[in-house]
Amino acid sequence: MALPVETFFLHPEAHGTLQSQIQQMIAQGILSGRFQRGEKLPSTRKLATHLGVSRITVTIAYTELLANDYLTSRGRSGYFVSDNAPVPPAFAPREVGPDAVDWTRAIGQRFSGGDTVRKPPDWGGYRYPFIYGQADPALFDHANWRLCALKALGQKDFTALTTDYYDQDDPQLIEFIARHTLPRRGITARPEQILITLGAQNALWLTTQVLLTQRRRAALEDPCYHALRDILSQSRCHMTPVRVDADGMPPDAIPPDTDVIFTTPSHQCPTTNTMPMHRRHDLLERAADMDALIVEDDYEFEMSFLRSPSPALKSLDTDGRVIYVGSFSKSLFPGLRLGYLVGSEPFIREARALRASVLRHPPGHVQRTAAYFLSLGHHDALIRRMGNALHERREVMARALSHHGLQIAGQGAHGGSSFWMRAPEAVDTQELARRLQAKGVLIESGHAFFSGSARPKSYYRLAYSSIPANRIGKGIDLLADEIRSMAHLGISEPANWP
Amino acid sequence: MALPVETFFLHPEAHGTLQSQIQQMIAQGILSGRFQRGEKLPSTRKLATHLGVSRITVTIAYTELLANDYLTSRGRSGYFVSDNAPVPPAFAPREVGPDAVDWTRAIGQRFSGGDTVRKPPDWGGYRYPFIYGQADPALFDHANWRLCALKALGQKDFTALTTDYYDQDDPQLIEFIARHTLPRRGITARPEQILITLGAQNALWLTTQVLLTQRRRAALEDPCYHALRDILSQSRCHMTPVRVDADGMPPDAIPPDTDVIFTTPSHQCPTTNTMPMHRRHDLLERAADMDALIVEDDYEFEMSFLRSPSPALKSLDTDGRVIYVGSFSKSLFPGLRLGYLVGSEPFIREARALRASVLRHPPGHVQRTAAYFLSLGHHDALIRRMGNALHERREVMARALSHHGLQIAGQGAHGGSSFWMRAPEAVDTQELARRLQAKGVLIESGHAFFSGSARPKSYYRLAYSSIPANRIGKGIDLLADEIRSMAHLGISEPANWP
């Protein structure tokens, strides 16, 4: 039987080149059973005319399908579905009715309902995206990343790509971090003291699982990274939020029965404040007095374009008391999912065993690509370029904020990629964010960063990591207008607004 | 100051091209503070002579470093470390003494000490690797994987590469699995019923966390995949190992108070037995009677080259009682760390929230690459090629085993990639494996698959997924010799052996 050319169509919203679309359409026709073994395909000329593409495009697609044994060619008679082509299963999928399972009972532990705020997935389509922590295509060194990824896909790296590392990591990445990244933070660590994680999120999660139980107490900054609070809540440990001041977490306010202190000394998240050296020493002393551990999330140290970063807390730690969390999400991109933990061996050993149980290891190709990008110096070059761009954006934004008299509640002494802002008391920033979104302006309400039920409503975060300098002014204009109009009407509850 | 050419050296064991090694050496010299701003580099001619490489190689490396602003060129005076080059931190890393932390007390939960057996990392260097579950470079379609990865690195896919999906996944991969992969197993699922995981390991772990608590009971196959037992032990649920027979897990032997049943119907792991249709129906009925859930690990269904795979247990499930675990580790490669969960929405919702908390999402690039490889038909073509090769290897191995009268304890009716073997009672297969390793033969002792303290010692697994057909005969000869010599001497305890 000849397959009628009419049954071939390209999906108008399909991705990829025309050639790969054709290839895909035919492969899927075979896999789904629509095209069967021995059936004749339209000639390349006929299909090309029908689809409105060039004949060579169809010919290349057919040739690929020949190579994969989906099709065979019988000389001048044309192309046929190969006798070796895969056969779809004989059993048809069945439609299923409503579940007979009582899921309320069946689910043993619930994890949904956390605080983590999501950006709109299409944030790139907004004109004024003051959103935090996303890669800016205008700044990222895509070309060299591509080259490094390609290198890591080479025949020589086949093992690094495909192997099951079990609980281990790519030795090249570990070595680079140990020899070059950590020394720049003043940290010395042996490979056994380093564990690669699926981003800083995964590092914080592993740490929490190893160190905390329902009987132990964690002190966390308030406000803080909301995902950390979700992680701690899920561990069911006791939690004490410690209100931060302009110098970060005040050591005296940490309860004496604390087991683990979570802190972000380089740039406090979200206020961006930097903890001064004297307080770092005080914090270490306080922790030693209580025999508590400290988890240092050094998530944005690379963005220190105003002055050199302070040494990490971990570099001042002679007790082995500090567990250090590093991340490539900010300096490379969050979709990479790559971070690392540095700590004493007994701790890393347990974190490694847990990681192995949960997911084995981060994909080999991702690790090797990062290893190349780092060791060829591209990462450092990128950070300098990003630093220059962020510096410019920050100055533009600072001028615009000052022009409108908007209140800055926190700004990193070393740089960073955002301002922590405070609106007039009457303004609920969740409502503010909703209204601005309709105008193409994305800001982050500060609610989710705070602990407890009486969360301050007037804070918000303005990042400049994903918005070009020349749009900042106009975006801040729109923001300022909206704040003025809301403050003027005394709106704090969205329900009051018609 | 001019940097003396003598301080430049290429590490004899370095990776990469000469050009990238030179680039790396200079970048790292700058980053570590050895080379300082304004210092003059050796001329390209001088450095080329010193390193024994061509001058053009050095020139290209210098040019790259110029582009990245590590170096500047001052016309005829040569190359200098750029004034914009990164400055190493002023604070020197300090050596740390022994920890002041009592880690025995500080660690809240222990995860180390599980059963999972590791292959030697250099298994590829052994002549007779009868090891399971690793990618064979001779079979894998490296060229097309590379093309798909490259495509996924393109400018058009920048968002898929870099974005923070939070708790979501690559929609293209989800769509392909829903529309093409699952229907081939007889399963219908909507995107909200699918979650991408970091391999099947991660899928099993998430499932365990959501469904089990210290008060609930899991039934698992005995023997079973050892990592599953580790996962269940860590969850501290009650565990009942159910001894499998030639048809897999016998439903009647499952205790009536079981909450979750873990099973591998397609190819029981490790015995490779396939559960017949009538038992699948019995198992579903038994689970419905007890109101238990079933977790179906369909880890190797693609390797069905002897006859078509049976429909998945999930395809027979009208209650929403079955949670399905799929994996690309066997059909692509384990270092990919990609698998998926299919289940009812209330379950997937919790698994998704937990995954987001633990690691957010599998890296975007990995997901998109797999989506392309699948949708272009390469995956199916690869499976057919692998099936043909495995079929041949299996026949060669079956002949060799029969020639030596070695006892096969289990072999998949549909194919698979291993035989489950039994040595004479006197032979401890852990000792057997150790002895064979010294002779270049890698086998897996069966100990770790069994539950409890009185584990049978005479089982072992022989896989043919990573050994070429022409080495199987000789490898089995060596195995048979060793078994004969151990059985003859009645060795069961390694300690008895001089």
Side-chain angles (χ1 to χ4, degrees):
Chain A
M1 185 197 128
L3 295 165
V5 77
E6 291 74 19
T7 61
F8 293 78
F9 53 89
L10 295 176
H11 197 281
E13 284 159 34
H15 297 274
T17 61
L18 283 170
Q19 178 221 310
S20 73
Q21 285 181 46
I22 294 169
Q23 199 179 327
Q24 204 166 327
M25 163 185 71
I26 296 173
Q28 292 181 9
I30 293 171
L31 294 174
S32 68
R34 284 204 304 129
F35 310 157
Q36 315 225 330
R37 291 179 174 184
E39 290 185 322
K40 185 176 189 303
L41 275 90
S43 70
T44 51
R45 183 190 304 273
K46 215 164 161 187
L47 187 56
T49 312
H50 170 68
L51 297 174
V53 304
S54 83
R55 193 172 162 194
I56 184 75
T57 306
V58 177
T59 307
I60 298 172
Y62 277 17
T63 310
E64 271 292 311
L65 290 159
L66 278 177
N68 274 339
D69 215 9
Y70 279 88
L71 302 184
T72 48
S73 151
R74 303 197 191 138
R76 298 185 64 85
S77 336
Y79 295 89
F80 295 81
V81 177
S82 164
D83 286 342
N84 298 319
V87 182
F91 37 90
R94 34 203 290 187
E95 274 303 325
V96 277
D99 282 4
V101 173
D102 172 6
W103 286 104
T104 317
R105 200 205 69 82
I107 287 169
Q109 295 186 71
R110 298 201 169 266
F111 302 94
S112 58
D115 263 331
T116 295
V117 186
R118 269 196 248 156
K119 279 112 195 161
D122 60 341
W123 65 263
Y126 286 79
R127 202 160 165 79
Y128 309 104
F130 293 113
I131 60 161
Y132 181 83
Q134 301 299 315
D136 185 340
L139 297 182
F140 184 64
D141 183 0
H142 201 170
N144 278 317
W145 183 263
R146 221 173 125 96
L147 286 175
C148 290
L150 198 57
K151 198 168 142 122
L153 284 163
Q155 201 64 54
K156 221 172 53 74
D157 282 333
F158 185 77
T159 300
L161 173 70
T162 63
T163 201
D164 191 338
Y165 279 118
Y166 299 89
D167 59 355
Q168 298 298 306
D169 284 310
D170 181 4
Q172 276 184 234
L173 181 57
I174 292 282
E175 196 197 333
F176 190 89
I177 291 173
R179 288 189 42 200
H180 300 281
T181 309
L182 294 176
R184 303 185 71 195
R185 304 299 292 129
I187 300 170
T188 313
R190 294 187 298 280
E192 313 82 71
Q193 296 173 325
I194 304 172
L195 183 72
I196 306 294
T197 61
L198 261 280
Q201 172 98 21
N202 187 227
L204 292 169
W205 184 87
L206 291 168
T207 303
T208 298
Q209 296 296 310
V210 170
L211 299 181
L212 289 161
T213 65
Q214 296 183 29
R215 284 175 300 282
R216 300 199 173 186
R217 179 173 302 280
L220 65 163
E221 297 170 337
D222 185 28
C224 80
Y225 175 47
H226 29 68
L228 171 63
R229 213 174 43 243
D230 288 348
I231 288 171
L232 290 171
S233 303
Q234 286 177 11
S235 82
R236 301 197 192 141
C237 67
H238 303 285
M239 284 162 67
T240 309
V242 175
R243 189 53 68 102
V244 300
D245 59 26
D247 290 342
M249 195 180 214
D252 294 343
I254 300 169
D257 63 340
T258 299
D259 297 288
V260 187
I261 301 162
F262 289 84
T263 183
T264 51
S266 292
H267 292 133
Q268 202 276 329
C269 174
T271 66
T272 79
N273 294 326
T274 300
M275 187 181 285
M277 280 307 278
H278 65 86
R279 182 171 282 190
R280 294 183 188 221
H281 286 291
D282 291 351
L283 181 61
L284 283 168
E285 211 169 289
R286 172 94 181 138
D289 287 349
M290 313 191 293
D291 199 15
L293 299 175
I294 299 176
V295 179
E296 174 184 27
D297 182 356
D298 200 28
Y299 68 104
E300 212 188 39
F301 85 87
E302 300 94 344
M303 303 299 128
S304 299
F305 46 81
L306 296 177
R307 40 185 166 112
S308 306
S310 326
L313 201 61
K314 175 74 185 156
S315 75
L316 310 171
D317 165 35
T318 49
D319 288 357
R321 191 172 298 291
V322 177
I323 289 157
Y324 178 89
V325 176
S327 166
F328 293 112
S329 292
K330 303 297 176 286
S331 61
L332 291 168
F333 48 87
L336 182 64
R337 312 303 316 131
L338 220 50
Y340 47 97
L341 268 176
V342 183
S344 293
E345 276 165 73
F347 165 76
I348 291 292
R349 193 179 307 126
E350 296 306 318
R352 182 184 299 284
L354 175 58
R355 190 198 68 178
S357 186
V358 171
L359 58 84
R360 292 213 172 165
H361 59 82
H365 179 247
V366 171
Q367 295 196 48
R368 183 55 58 95
T369 302
Y372 283 136
F373 197 82
L374 291 165
S375 66
L376 289 171
H378 299 313
H379 184 236
D380 287 280
L382 173 63
I383 286 168
R384 267 173 300 140
R385 270 199 303 276
M386 280 172 73
N388 292 339
L390 292 182
H391 197 164
E392 187 206 347
R393 293 179 187 180
R394 182 188 169 95
E395 286 181 349
V396 172
M397 191 181 269
R399 276 197 300 274
L401 296 175
S402 142
H403 171 74
H404 286 290
L406 295 174
Q407 189 190 341
I408 297 172
Q411 50 185 315
H414 298 260
S417 59
S418 62
F419 286 96
W420 180 239
M421 303 293 298
R422 185 166 198 176
E425 209 49 55
V427 175
D428 180 319
T429 56
Q430 278 188 320
E431 175 62 11
L432 176 66
R434 267 191 295 270
R435 290 166 174 233
L436 285 169
Q437 185 168 352
K439 298 180 176 172
V441 184
L442 295 177
I443 67 162
E444 265 181 287
S445 156
H447 290 52
F449 295 102
F450 289 96
S451 295
S453 48
R455 301 180 178 190
K457 295 184 170 178
S458 58
Y459 288 93
Y460 61 106
R461 181 160 71 171
L462 281 185
Y464 42 87
S465 47
S466 293
I467 183 166
N470 61 14
R471 292 206 189 149
I472 289 175
K474 176 69 180 158
I476 300 293
D477 290 349
L478 290 166
L479 166 71
D481 285 352
E482 198 60 55
I483 288 181
R484 263 192 296 272
S485 103
M486 283 178 73
H488 180 67
L489 292 167
I491 290 163
S492 58
E493 295 299 318
N496 295 348
W497 187 244
Chain B
M1 183 197 132
L3 295 165
V5 77
E6 291 75 19
T7 62
F8 294 77
F9 53 89
L10 296 176
H11 197 281
E13 283 159 33
H15 296 275
T17 61
L18 284 170
Q19 179 222 309
S20 72
Q21 285 182 44
I22 294 170
Q23 200 180 326
Q24 201 166 329
M25 162 185 76
I26 295 173
Q28 291 181 7
I30 293 171
L31 294 174
S32 68
R34 283 205 304 131
F35 309 158
Q36 315 225 328
R37 290 178 174 186
E39 290 184 324
K40 186 176 188 304
L41 275 89
S43 70
T44 51
R45 183 190 306 272
K46 214 163 161 186
L47 186 57
T49 312
H50 171 69
L51 298 175
V53 303
S54 84
R55 193 172 164 197
I56 184 74
T57 305
V58 177
T59 306
I60 298 174
Y62 277 17
T63 310
E64 271 293 310
L65 290 160
L66 279 177
N68 275 339
D69 215 9
Y70 279 90
L71 302 184
T72 47
S73 150
R74 303 196 189 139
R76 296 185 65 86
S77 336
Y79 295 90
F80 295 81
V81 177
S82 164
D83 285 342
N84 298 318
V87 183
F91 38 91
R94 35 204 288 189
E95 275 302 326
V96 276
D99 282 5
V101 173
D102 172 5
W103 286 104
T104 317
R105 201 205 69 84
I107 287 169
Q109 294 185 72
R110 299 202 169 266
F111 301 94
S112 58
D115 263 331
T116 295
V117 187
R118 270 198 247 156
K119 279 111 195 160
D122 60 341
W123 65 264
Y126 286 79
R127 202 160 165 77
Y128 308 104
F130 293 113
I131 60 162
Y132 182 83
Q134 301 298 316
D136 184 339
L139 296 183
F140 184 63
D141 183 358
H142 201 171
N144 278 317
W145 183 261
R146 222 172 124 96
L147 286 176
C148 290
L150 199 58
K151 198 169 145 120
L153 285 162
Q155 201 63 54
K156 224 171 53 75
D157 281 333
F158 185 77
T159 301
L161 173 71
T162 63
T163 201
D164 191 339
Y165 279 118
Y166 298 89
D167 58 356
Q168 298 298 305
D169 284 310
D170 181 4
Q172 277 185 234
L173 181 57
I174 292 280
E175 196 197 333
F176 190 89
I177 291 173
R179 289 187 43 200
H180 300 282
T181 309
L182 294 176
R184 302 185 73 194
R185 305 298 294 128
I187 300 170
T188 313
R190 293 188 298 279
E192 313 83 71
Q193 297 173 324
I194 305 171
L195 183 72
I196 306 295
T197 60
L198 262 279
Q201 172 99 20
N202 187 228
L204 292 169
W205 184 86
L206 292 168
T207 303
T208 298
Q209 296 296 308
V210 170
L211 299 180
L212 289 161
T213 64
Q214 296 183 29
R215 283 175 302 283
R216 300 200 172 186
R217 178 173 303 279
L220 65 163
E221 296 170 338
D222 185 28
C224 79
Y225 174 46
H226 30 66
L228 171 64
R229 214 173 43 240
D230 287 349
I231 288 171
L232 290 170
S233 303
Q234 287 177 10
S235 83
R236 301 196 193 144
C237 67
H238 302 285
M239 285 162 66
T240 308
V242 175
R243 190 52 70 103
V244 301
D245 60 27
D247 289 342
M249 195 180 213
D252 294 343
I254 301 168
D257 63 339
T258 300
D259 297 290
V260 188
I261 301 161
F262 289 83
T263 182
T264 50
S266 292
H267 292 133
Q268 202 276 330
C269 174
T271 65
T272 81
N273 294 327
T274 301
M275 188 181 286
M277 281 304 280
H278 65 86
R279 182 171 281 189
R280 293 183 189 220
H281 286 291
D282 291 350
L283 181 61
L284 284 167
E285 213 169 288
R286 171 95 180 140
D289 287 348
M290 314 191 295
D291 200 14
L293 299 175
I294 299 177
V295 179
E296 173 184 26
D297 183 355
D298 199 28
Y299 68 103
E300 212 187 39
F301 85 86
E302 300 93 344
M303 303 300 129
S304 299
F305 47 81
L306 296 177
R307 40 184 166 115
S308 307
S310 323
L313 201 60
K314 176 73 183 157
S315 75
L316 310 170
D317 165 37
T318 50
D319 289 356
R321 193 172 297 291
V322 177
I323 288 157
Y324 177 90
V325 175
S327 165
F328 293 112
S329 292
K330 304 296 176 289
S331 60
L332 291 169
F333 48 87
L336 182 63
R337 311 303 316 129
L338 221 50
Y340 48 98
L341 268 177
V342 183
S344 293
E345 276 165 72
F347 166 75
I348 291 292
R349 194 179 307 127
E350 297 306 319
R352 182 184 299 283
L354 175 58
R355 191 199 67 180
S357 186
V358 172
L359 58 86
R360 291 213 172 166
H361 58 83
H365 179 247
V366 170
Q367 295 195 48
R368 183 54 59 95
T369 303
Y372 283 136
F373 197 81
L374 291 165
S375 66
L376 289 171
H378 299 312
H379 185 236
D380 287 280
L382 172 63
I383 286 168
R384 268 173 300 139
R385 271 199 302 277
M386 280 171 75
N388 291 339
L390 293 182
H391 198 162
E392 188 205 347
R393 293 179 188 178
R394 182 187 169 95
E395 287 180 350
V396 173
M397 191 181 269
R399 275 197 301 275
L401 295 176
S402 144
H403 171 74
H404 287 289
L406 295 173
Q407 189 189 343
I408 297 172
Q411 50 185 315
H414 297 261
S417 59
S418 61
F419 285 95
W420 179 240
M421 303 291 300
R422 185 166 199 176
E425 209 50 56
V427 176
D428 180 320
T429 56
Q430 279 188 318
E431 175 64 11
L432 176 66
R434 268 190 294 269
R435 289 166 174 231
L436 286 169
Q437 185 168 351
K439 298 180 176 171
V441 183
L442 295 177
I443 67 162
E444 265 180 286
S445 156
H447 289 53
F449 294 101
F450 288 96
S451 295
S453 48
R455 303 181 176 190
K457 296 185 168 177
S458 58
Y459 288 93
Y460 59 106
R461 182 160 69 171
L462 281 185
Y464 43 86
S465 47
S466 293
I467 183 166
N470 61 14
R471 292 207 187 146
I472 289 175
K474 176 71 179 156
I476 300 293
D477 289 350
L478 289 166
L479 166 71
D481 285 353
E482 198 62 52
I483 288 180
R484 263 192 296 272
S485 101
M486 283 178 72
H488 180 66
L489 292 168
I491 290 161
S492 58
E493 294 299 317
N496 297 348
W497 187 246

